[in-house]
């Protein structure tokens, strides 16, 4: 039995094997292609000991290993995705060997082709929206210093009401920009809102959305988002274009 498995980063279309020359995957191993009837799997070797089922369950709890694996995975996908149509597969998709990968390409040919057709000519964009917190100036803060316990409770109730209003206003405004962006997109995906520790932002996040956008509509999306840049209740953050990770619902597998 070989000491390695075949790790699959993505499926793609019309990839010359020379296009992956020099790209390094997991552990610095060279990336290669496995092709079947026009659909290409982008692969490299991976240590069998790391990716067998029981070992993999433990590895996925190792944040350092997980981060390194994710970086290598995304490096391969993003590098090839600059010039090729690619559909990323999930992290840690492995098979026994290249022949098993070729068999999967044949078994799932219609699925992979449909995914690639859906992504062709489109890219992913991300939109995050944050509620703007009220920040009183120094004079106002001094004037509002509580003079008693009752004053403190009154001001606290007022702050909570205003905070709720600010969040609700921001959510309504975020719904407006989302509707405008969605009208330009071929598909949308909602992602989980991130807390301050994960987002790195002090303002609360009220929208975390991805859009699958035809490449020719990128300037329209930028213009939509720019029109909300000075909104008093929310702050918008647009990122992209990216390889469409959120929309590449290609089949994911694991070594038997």
């Amino acid at each position: 039995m070989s000491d390695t498995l075949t790790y699959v980063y993505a499926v793609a279309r019309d990839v010359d094997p020379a296009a992956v020359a020099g790209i390094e995957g997991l552990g610095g191993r060279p990336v290669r292609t496995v092709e079947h009837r026009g659909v290409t799997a982008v692969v490299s070797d991976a240590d069998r000991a790391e990716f067998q089922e029981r070992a993999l369950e433990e590895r996925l709890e190792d944040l350092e290993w997980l981060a390194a694996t994710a970086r290598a995975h995304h490096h391969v996908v993003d590098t090839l995705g600059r010039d090729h149509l690619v559909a990323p597969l999930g992290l840690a998709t492995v098979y026994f060997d290249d022949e098993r990968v070729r068999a999967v390409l044949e078994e799932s040919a219609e699925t992979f082709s449909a995914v690639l057709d859906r992504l062709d000519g489109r890219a992913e964009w991300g939109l995050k929206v944050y509620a703007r917190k009220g920040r009183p100036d120094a004079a106002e803060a001094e004037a509002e210093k509580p003079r008693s316990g009752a004053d403190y409770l009154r001001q606290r109730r007022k702050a909570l009401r205003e905070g709720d209003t600010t969040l609700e206003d921001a959510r309504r405004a975020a719904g407006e920009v989302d509707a405008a962006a969605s009208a330009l997109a071929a598909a949308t995906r909602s992602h989980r809102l991130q807390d301050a520790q994960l987002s790195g932002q002090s303002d609360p996040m009220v929208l975390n959305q991805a859009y699958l956008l035809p490449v020719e509509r990128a300037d329209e999306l930028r213009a939509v988002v720019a029109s909300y840049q000075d909104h008093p209740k929310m702050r918008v953050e647009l990122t992209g274009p990216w390889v469409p990770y959120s929309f590449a619902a290609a089949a994911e597998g694991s070594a038997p």
Side-chain angles (χ1 to χ4, degrees):
M1 182 180 294
S2 170
D3 292 335
T4 62
L5 298 170
T6 298
Y7 185 105
V8 186
Y9 301 89
V11 294
R13 184 175 284 156
D14 301 324
V15 178
D16 189 313
V20 302
I23 301 178
E24 294 183 349
L26 298 178
R29 289 186 172 91
V31 171
R32 62 182 182 276
T33 60
V34 177
E35 192 271 342
H36 182 74
R37 295 184 182 176
V39 177
T40 302
V42 183
V43 310
S44 74
D45 287 340
D47 286 336
R48 178 180 294 274
E50 291 187 21
F51 286 90
Q52 286 182 315
E53 185 174 357
R54 183 171 298 177
L56 183 57
E57 289 176 1
E58 296 178 0
R59 291 285 186 174
L60 292 175
E61 300 296 325
D62 181 342
L63 295 183
E64 185 175 341
W65 180 89
L66 191 60
T69 302
R71 283 194 300 270
H73 184 102
H74 296 321
H75 169 70
V76 173
V77 173
D78 293 344
T79 300
L80 190 63
R82 294 170 193 160
D83 302 306
H84 295 81
L85 172 62
V86 298
L89 268 66
L91 202 66
T93 300
V94 291
Y95 293 93
F96 268 138
D97 52 27
D98 288 9
E99 287 308 308
R100 179 55 190 153
V101 172
R102 190 170 286 107
V104 170
L105 292 180
E106 181 172 10
E107 292 163 6
S108 303
E110 291 185 6
T111 298
F112 289 134
S113 292
V115 170
L116 291 166
D117 286 345
R118 186 171 71 248
L119 302 183
D120 196 9
R122 295 164 175 170
E124 179 170 337
W125 292 76
L127 180 66
K128 293 181 172 65
V129 179
Y130 303 88
R132 292 189 189 274
K133 288 182 179 177
R135 294 178 175 84
D137 60 30
E140 181 182 350
E142 181 69 23
E144 286 294 319
K145 281 186 177 179
R147 296 179 177 82
S148 66
D151 265 355
Y152 171 80
L153 292 175
R154 175 181 57 80
Q155 291 177 23
R156 180 63 177 159
R157 285 194 295 268
K158 178 183 177 184
L160 289 172
R161 287 196 302 272
E162 290 176 348
D164 289 344
T165 301
T166 299
L167 277 175
E168 188 56 38
D169 289 344
R171 290 188 185 104
R172 281 196 293 268
E176 293 177 13
V177 67
D178 177 44
S182 296
L184 302 173
T188 65
R189 292 286 186 276
S190 295
H191 293 306
R192 182 178 300 177
L193 299 181
Q194 300 170 345
D195 61 23
Q197 184 175 5
L198 187 58
S199 71
Q201 305 290 329
S202 59
D203 293 333
M205 182 182 291
V206 295
L207 184 79
N208 188 8
Q209 199 80 346
Y211 306 93
L212 183 64
L213 196 76
V215 293
E216 66 272 13
R217 309 206 75 169
D219 286 343
E220 293 177 73
L221 179 63
R222 292 190 185 99
V224 164
V225 174
S227 70
Y228 287 89
Q229 288 292 350
D230 297 322
H231 197 284
K233 300 295 184 181
M234 68 176 180
R235 178 168 56 84
V236 294
E237 180 183 289
L238 180 67
T239 60
W242 308 110
V243 172
Y245 285 95
S246 299
F247 303 93
E252 298 174 7
S254 59

